[in-house]
Amino acid sequence: MSSFKDDSSQEGNFGVDFVIHYKVPPAERAQAEAGFIQLVEALTAVGLATEVRHGNEGSLLIFVKIASCDLFAQHVYRARLQDWLHGVRASAPNKDIAQALKDDPVIEAERLRLIYLMITKPQTEGGAGITPSTPKWKHVAAIFPLHDRSFNKTWIKKWSGKYLLDDADIDNIRDKFGESVAFYFAFLRSYFCFLVVPSGLGFFSWLFLGQFSTFYALGCGLWSVVFFEYWKKAELDLAVQWSVRGVSSIQQSRPEFEWEHEDEDPVTGELVKVYPPLRRVKTQLLQIPFAAACIIALGTEIVACNSLEVFINEVYNGPGKQYLGFLPTILLVVGTPTISALLMNFAEMLTNMENYATVDAHDAALVQKQFVLNFMTSYMAPLFTAFVYIPFGHVLIPFLNFWRKAAQTVTYSEKGLPTKDFVSNPARITNQMFYFTVTAQIVNFATEVIVPLLKQKAMDKAKEFKAKGKQNFDHQEEEEFLDRVRKECEMEAYDVTADYREMVMQFGYISLFSVAWPLAACFFLVNNWVELRSDAFKIATSTRRPVPWRADSIGPWLTALGFLSWLGSITSAAIVYLCTHSHDGTKSSKITSGGLLLGILFAEHFYLAAQMAARFVLTKVDSPGLQKERRERYMTKKKLLEENLSQDVVAKPGIIASEKITRDALEEEARRASIRGHGTPEETYALLRNSTFYMPS
């Protein structure tokens, strides 16, 4: 094999665009070798050059790059032309390909995305058709771009020294990692800035108003509405600025899609693969028993563990109490992931059965099911405390008696256990919120950043120890580069969905439960300053570089935000009413169903009024993205006018010739019309009589 030294170095990666990690199991060596030859031939056929090096044990590294710049320029032009045809771009690219690329240069994210599509798109669509994990390419473990070490180092150093991120920082992320990742960081930046409001409001309420403040509940509800409506406008503005508005209509085909028949598209007239929508709807109805299974399985476990915790900490008064208090936590730590994993497998199976034609539609459907699971695991415990334990603690007595009898049965004791009378503790929900806002965030930071880093260091040391005494066949000038690539092969793929899920669940804690502990937003504000930088650090050091996919929004998470914002207005009102009328768990005559419904009705109407007001105000605010869109449309019409307007018009029979129609004349007439306004009917008639094309009767 030739050395990389003859290739121009691009950001320290020897000009390599993508790496294909190819496994060669000893038991399937002949099959893997045949597949390898097919892979290289498929890449060569679409205009990609390859070089091969040894990977880790039993694997190969196939380095891929563009073989012809002219051929790639044609791919870029066709992609941009397709964007224009689908309405993503306001104007068609210049017919001269070289001039078009000069006017609008190719950014790195666009380059890598198009090369990835050349590798993975079906051969019928002009790609090599190489899809990891499919039966034909089962030995292809991963396809990924290499990290730009220089950019990553500068990125982390720059963000570490800044308190607030600006638009240029987000644009740099977009240029390197694509709009999908950039939208996440833009959302997190906006969310972080908006958290200043509930943080200040919460600190004031904690000092002077205490728990369950009506003032704080209304203020937090108003904040959640304004943020949700603001972000809807902000993401639309970003989509226009990044020229990706409507890009979701150009979706990546899903190889696993099983179509039933082909039919003619009523708009384009082309043949399209069709799966009957009614069949998919019938399958989607299975989401109802899926949601019921989530509620029953996770709800039963969480209620059982919480009631056991109440019994141990607030009723049981015997020996070993300080150790038994860990039992409910252990049961939750063991049981919740197990049940969630089973339900998640069922969710994936159900989504596959729904048989979506595109990757985006498939992922959106899966996210919706994940949200149901996350909702149950994240919010069931505080819901139990706020709606059962504090206002209606007396209903727990049968559960506590059950645990008392169970403990006597397990210990074979005929004597009654040493217990005390049950009295609910209002501080319980404060302790829970402290765990979710402080302890859980610290644990999450450790599992996301510190643990993968330590794991990677340990694996590197183990490999170094194992490689001692073995001969190294790498070229000296490639040794450092190949060592880095092999390490990146072992990294996990970055999943932006997990980061979205974390932030949306956090938004839910503030909207739904922060009225019970107003300081929650303050701690989340501090956490998210760290989160912005830790997520960047995680991408740069602990995960493979993501494929820079395009996006025009945060996807289904926007719907989840809207749902949590609306639900928060109801739950906050209910918590304030229930918990201010009963703090000891006794049945209070002050709590009535009528009062509860009245409070919820008032909160919901307040939410709707705030939503209408926020939308009205935001529609009056202009934005750079919308200005850009209007400017592009105007320039397109102006260009069309210049190209097609005749400078001289020859008089024809039936037409009274007058002054020449020129561009200047039309602009002058438009200027006069704008000064006059729309004019009276008489003015309009006079204008028509003076028109070149007026035909007398």
Side-chain angles (χ1 to χ4, degrees):
M1 291 289 178
S2 62
S3 173
F4 286 120
K5 65 183 180 181
D6 296 328
D7 298 327
S8 60
S9 177
Q10 181 183 355
E11 304 295 345
N13 289 334
F14 293 96
V16 172
D17 293 309
F18 271 85
V19 175
I20 299 178
H21 189 205
Y22 193 84
K23 297 282 188 178
V24 186
E28 303 176 6
R29 186 177 183 86
Q31 185 181 3
E33 288 178 352
F36 169 77
I37 295 174
Q38 291 180 354
L39 185 145
V40 173
E41 289 176 347
L43 293 173
T44 304
V46 296
L48 295 172
T50 59
E51 287 210 35
V52 183
R53 297 291 185 271
H54 288 289
N56 294 321
E57 292 184 3
S59 69
L60 296 173
L61 302 175
I62 304 172
F63 297 100
V64 180
K65 64 179 182 179
I66 291 295
S68 169
C69 293
D70 292 337
L71 179 62
F72 182 69
Q74 294 177 16
H75 277 281
V76 175
Y77 185 82
R78 281 197 296 268
R80 292 180 177 180
L81 192 62
Q82 185 184 30
D83 287 350
W84 174 66
L85 290 173
H86 285 82
V88 176
R89 288 177 172 264
S91 59
N94 195 307
K95 295 179 180 179
D96 184 351
I97 297 180
Q99 186 62 40
L101 299 184
K102 184 178 179 181
D103 295 339
D104 187 6
V106 180
I107 62 175
E108 187 174 351
E110 182 182 16
R111 173 186 173 86
L112 292 176
R113 175 177 58 83
L114 292 178
I115 294 175
Y116 184 81
L117 290 176
M118 291 174 66
I119 297 172
T120 59
K121 285 178 69 173
Q123 293 180 348
T124 55
E125 299 178 16
I130 301 169
T131 307
S133 303
T134 54
K136 182 179 179 180
W137 304 108
K138 64 179 181 178
H139 296 111
V140 177
I143 304 174
F144 60 93
L146 291 174
H147 277 294
D148 183 342
R149 291 187 301 170
S150 176
F151 171 81
N152 288 351
K153 189 179 297 184
T154 306
W155 178 29
I156 301 303
K157 183 178 180 180
K158 182 180 179 182
W159 281 28
S160 300
K162 297 181 69 173
Y163 180 70
L164 292 176
L165 306 182
D166 52 33
D167 293 340
D169 295 319
I170 303 301
D171 288 338
N172 287 336
I173 298 301
R174 178 241 176 178
D175 292 344
K176 283 289 181 180
F177 301 105
E179 288 81 8
S180 179
V181 176
F183 262 113
Y184 166 71
F185 281 101
F187 169 77
L188 183 51
R189 182 188 64 162
S190 298
Y191 176 49
F192 168 75
C193 294
F194 264 81
L195 274 177
V196 173
V197 175
S199 298
L201 187 63
F203 188 72
F204 173 82
S205 299
W206 178 74
L207 283 178
F208 301 106
L209 303 176
Q211 285 180 303
F212 315 121
S213 165
T214 303
F215 172 76
Y216 176 82
L218 291 174
C220 187
L222 179 63
W223 166 81
S224 68
V225 174
V226 172
F227 171 68
F228 174 65
E229 295 298 330
Y230 164 81
W231 176 251
K232 284 201 301 184
K233 184 179 178 65
E235 72 171 13
L236 175 62
D237 189 61
L238 284 174
V240 173
Q241 290 187 60
W242 292 339
S243 300
V244 291
R245 184 179 182 182
V247 77
S248 55
S249 62
I250 310 175
Q251 298 178 330
Q252 182 187 4
S253 299
R254 186 165 163 265
E256 297 85 359
F257 174 62
E258 298 178 359
W259 52 280
E260 190 171 278
H261 64 276
E262 290 185 325
D263 201 353
E264 183 178 307
D265 189 293
V267 178
T268 64
E270 298 178 351
L271 285 178
V272 292
K273 297 177 175 61
V274 178
Y275 181 76
L278 287 179
R279 287 187 58 184
R280 181 175 292 120
V281 170
K282 292 178 181 178
T283 308
Q284 288 173 336
L285 291 176
L286 294 175
Q287 295 181 26
I288 298 175
F290 171 75
C294 293
I295 294 172
I296 294 172
L298 292 172
T300 301
E301 185 208 14
I302 291 172
V303 169
C305 290
N306 275 267
S307 61
L308 176 60
E309 182 188 5
V310 171
F311 172 76
I312 294 173
N313 293 331
E314 299 176 28
V315 176
Y316 179 70
N317 201 26
K321 180 177 179 177
Q322 64 272 30
Y323 304 110
L324 290 173
F326 293 104
L327 180 59
T329 303
I330 294 172
L331 293 176
L332 281 173
V333 168
V334 174
T336 302
T338 303
I339 297 174
S340 297
L342 292 174
L343 292 172
M344 194 62 223
N345 290 336
F346 180 73
E348 292 175 355
M349 181 182 69
L350 182 59
T351 307
N352 290 332
M353 289 171 58
E354 291 168 4
N355 193 27
Y356 292 97
T358 63
V359 174
D360 289 348
H362 176 86
D363 292 345
L366 185 59
V367 165
Q368 291 172 353
K369 299 175 183 65
Q370 286 178 332
F371 178 71
V372 174
L373 281 172
N374 297 139
F375 186 94
M376 295 299 300
T377 55
S378 300
Y379 303 144
M380 197 66 182
L383 284 172
F384 171 82
T385 301
F387 286 92
V388 178
Y389 174 82
I390 293 179
F392 306 112
H394 61 278
V395 303
L396 293 175
I397 294 176
F399 289 95
L400 302 180
N401 291 333
F402 167 79
W403 290 119
R404 182 184 292 108
K405 293 178 181 178
Q408 288 179 339
T409 303
V410 171
T411 58
Y412 300 101
S413 174
E414 296 180 358
K415 297 181 180 180
L417 294 175
T419 59
K420 56 184 178 180
D421 293 335
F422 167 68
V423 178
S424 66
N425 178 15
R428 176 181 172 82
I429 193 168
T430 302
N431 296 333
Q432 284 182 324
M433 287 298 294
F434 181 83
Y435 169 79
F436 291 128
T437 56
V438 180
T439 309
Q441 301 303 317
I442 295 174
V443 172
N444 183 67
F445 174 80
T447 55
E448 273 192 357
V449 180
I450 298 177
V451 171
L453 195 60
L454 294 176
K455 181 181 176 182
Q456 184 178 338
K457 295 286 186 183
M459 290 179 62
D460 291 344
K461 291 293 183 183
K463 288 179 180 178
E464 287 179 9
F465 179 79
K466 191 175 181 180
K468 282 184 179 180
K470 291 186 178 180
Q471 186 177 359
N472 188 357
F473 295 99
D474 295 337
H475 291 284
Q476 186 175 359
E477 63 272 22
E478 299 175 3
E479 186 174 351
E480 182 182 354
F481 170 69
L482 292 175
D483 183 59
R484 177 163 58 87
V485 174
R486 289 168 185 140
K487 290 179 181 178
E488 290 188 28
C489 285
E490 301 301 324
M491 293 179 179
E492 295 182 356
Y494 173 67
D495 181 15
V496 72
T497 300
D499 287 335
Y500 273 127
R501 180 168 60 247
E502 181 184 350
M503 289 299 106
V504 171
M505 292 297 107
Q506 184 190 109
F507 176 82
Y509 281 120
I510 296 177
S511 300
L512 274 64
F513 306 112
S514 64
V515 69
W517 193 50
L519 287 178
C522 298
F523 285 94
F524 282 142
L525 180 68
V526 176
N527 172 81
N528 289 355
W529 188 91
V530 179
E531 187 75 22
L532 268 167
R533 289 142 185 87
S534 65
D535 284 342
F537 182 80
K538 176 179 67 176
I539 293 174
T541 62
S542 302
T543 66
R544 294 197 294 264
R545 182 176 180 176
V547 176
W549 292 117
R550 293 191 296 180
D552 55 8
S553 71
I554 63 174
W557 295 111
L558 183 66
T559 305
L561 278 178
F563 171 74
L564 291 174
S565 177
W566 167 80
L567 186 63
S569 67
I570 296 176
T571 57
S572 294
I575 290 173
V576 168
Y577 179 81
L578 293 173
C579 296
T580 52
H581 286 80
S582 178
H583 285 281
D584 57 0
T586 59
K587 189 173 182 178
S588 174
S589 59
K590 296 181 182 179
I591 298 178
T592 61
S593 58
L596 177 62
L597 291 175
L598 187 63
I600 292 175
L601 187 65
F602 170 78
E604 189 172 18
H605 279 71
F606 176 79
Y607 172 86
L608 295 175
Q611 186 181 61
M612 292 177 62
R615 288 178 178 176
F616 176 78
V617 172
L618 289 172
T619 54
K620 303 300 180 182
V621 179
D622 207 354
S623 60
L626 297 179
Q627 290 176 357
K628 176 187 176 184
E629 186 178 44
R630 291 197 301 271
R631 183 170 61 252
E632 289 178 344
R633 288 179 178 176
Y634 171 74
M635 296 304 296
T636 301
K637 294 175 182 178
K638 184 178 179 181
K639 182 179 179 181
L640 185 64
L641 181 67
E642 292 174 346
E643 291 178 352
N644 296 284
L645 184 62
S646 173
Q647 296 298 319
D648 296 301
V649 177
V650 180
K652 295 183 179 180
I655 299 180
I656 298 176
S658 63
E659 61 179 293
K660 293 181 179 180
I661 296 181
T662 65
R663 179 172 175 272
D664 293 337
L666 288 175
E667 288 184 347
E668 177 62 22
E669 187 59 45
R671 186 187 67 81
R672 292 176 182 174
S674 65
I675 295 174
R676 290 195 304 265
H678 294 290
T680 63
E682 290 78 9
E683 291 176 334
T684 304
Y685 178 72
L687 179 64
L688 287 172
R689 285 190 61 83
N690 294 329
S691 173
T692 304
F693 295 106
Y694 173 70
M695 298 181 65
S697 56

